[in-house]
Amino acid sequence: MSLYELDSVFKTYHQGPNNIAALRDVSLSIEAGERVSIQGSTGGGKSTLLQLLGVLDSPTSGTIKFDGRDITSMSENDQATLRAQRIGFIFQNYNLIPTLTAAENVECGLVPLEMTKDERHHAVAAVLASVGLSDRSGHLPGQLSGGQQQRVAIARALVKKPSVILADEPTGNLDEETRDEIADLIEQVSAEHGVTIITVTHDSALAKRSTRHLSIRKGIVSES
Ligand SMILES: Nc1ncnc2c1ncn2[C@@H]1O[C@H](COP(=O)(O)OP(=O)(O)O)[C@@H](O)[C@H]1O
Ligand SMILES: [Mg+2]
């Protein structure tokens, strides 16, 4: 069974009198453990696709199965549970909470899950160590470099032991050297934890690290 199966997925946004076809007839399977990059020019539908894969939005028509379950017909509660337990997110702007320490930000990744305080703290310490930030756990995001903030965000995504991490331009705000470090880390995370990684990126150095390349143009996805 594939991790994702998309069948004839359309997504149309209604903007005043206009209909914008952001995804057109997308059919696609993604296997567990793949590292997929998605490239394409602005407005092509990359973020829309990522939002559907993250169960943050629903298609206008078509079906999306996650681990064999049709997410398009699930209740919102079941969708939220699936998201909390199985799907990690990484963003270009890190999206850390500025008033929480690195460790507390990572712990946020666990909030919806039922664990004791000790179990949570143990999990947070382990994952911060695995991204090389044990010595920064008490720092606030503002006291960390961009690369370190993205490491915290990766730790937050990883701490719940997700099946998939969805990343939207994860190296978009980083200098070249730091980009390579984050690319190394993403690759390492995927290998060590068996996590499927789906990355939207303009960064061809990062895209090269993927095991599979998709491109999307005017809402149409193709292998490239
Ligand atoms: N919430 C929205 N409402 C209306 N139109 C949207 C919305 N989100 C995206 N779009 C439109 O859908 C198309 C695809 O957008 P998007 O998925 O963000 O592309 P990309 O991430 O590749 O730049 C664009 O034409 C965009 O303007
Ligand atoms: Mg986008």
Side-chain angles (χ1 to χ4, degrees), residues 45-205:
K46 302 182 297 295
S47 296
T48 299
L49 179 60
L50 217 58
Q51 274 163 15
L52 297 189
L53 296 175
V55 206
L56 294 165
D57 201 354
S58 303
T60 307
S61 64
T63 57
I64 302 178
K65 286 185 183 163
F66 182 92
D67 237 357
R69 296 168 71 199
D70 181 359
I71 56 180
T72 42
S73 63
M74 264 183 204
S75 70
E76 276 185 31
N77 251 333
D78 288 347
Q79 289 185 342
T81 303
L82 176 85
R83 222 169 25 236
Q85 296 183 339
R86 309 285 305 273
I87 304 176
F89 295 91
I90 309 172
F91 305 93
Q92 178 168 357
N93 300 319
Y94 326 126
N95 284 16
L96 301 176
I97 298 172
T99 52
L100 298 183
T101 65
E104 288 164 344
N105 267 286
V106 173
E107 197 176 340
C108 286
L110 288 174
V111 163
L113 304 182
E114 285 162 24
M115 288 172 92
T116 67
K117 201 173 174 184
D118 270 1
E119 285 169 340
R120 284 204 311 271
H121 289 170
H122 185 78
V124 168
V127 80
L128 276 173
S130 79
V131 300
L133 282 183
S134 292
D135 56 346
R136 296 289 191 279
S137 62
H139 285 52
L140 296 171
Q143 299 167 330
L144 298 170
S145 70
Q148 289 170 334
Q149 289 184 62
Q150 195 59 301
R151 284 172 188 270
V152 174
I154 291 170
R156 178 183 56 190
L158 203 56
V159 70
K160 63 170 101 163
K161 299 189 166 43
S163 302
V164 60
I165 290 181
L166 303 174
D168 202 344
E169 297 284 2
T171 57
N173 285 1
L174 303 173
D175 60 61
E176 216 165 294
E177 195 180 323
T178 313
R179 269 181 358 210
D180 289 343
E181 278 173 35
I182 293 297
D184 286 343
L185 179 61
I186 290 174
E187 209 170 293
Q188 175 202 322
V189 154
S190 142
E192 278 175 18
H193 302 261
V195 188
T196 307
I197 312 263
I198 304 174
T199 309
V200 163
T201 185
H202 280 105
D203 176 358
S204 35

Side-chain angles (χ1 to χ4, degrees), residues 13 15 20 22 41-48:
Y13 294 110
Q15 185 97 7
I20 299 165
S41 49
T42 306
K46 302 182 297 295
S47 296
T48 299

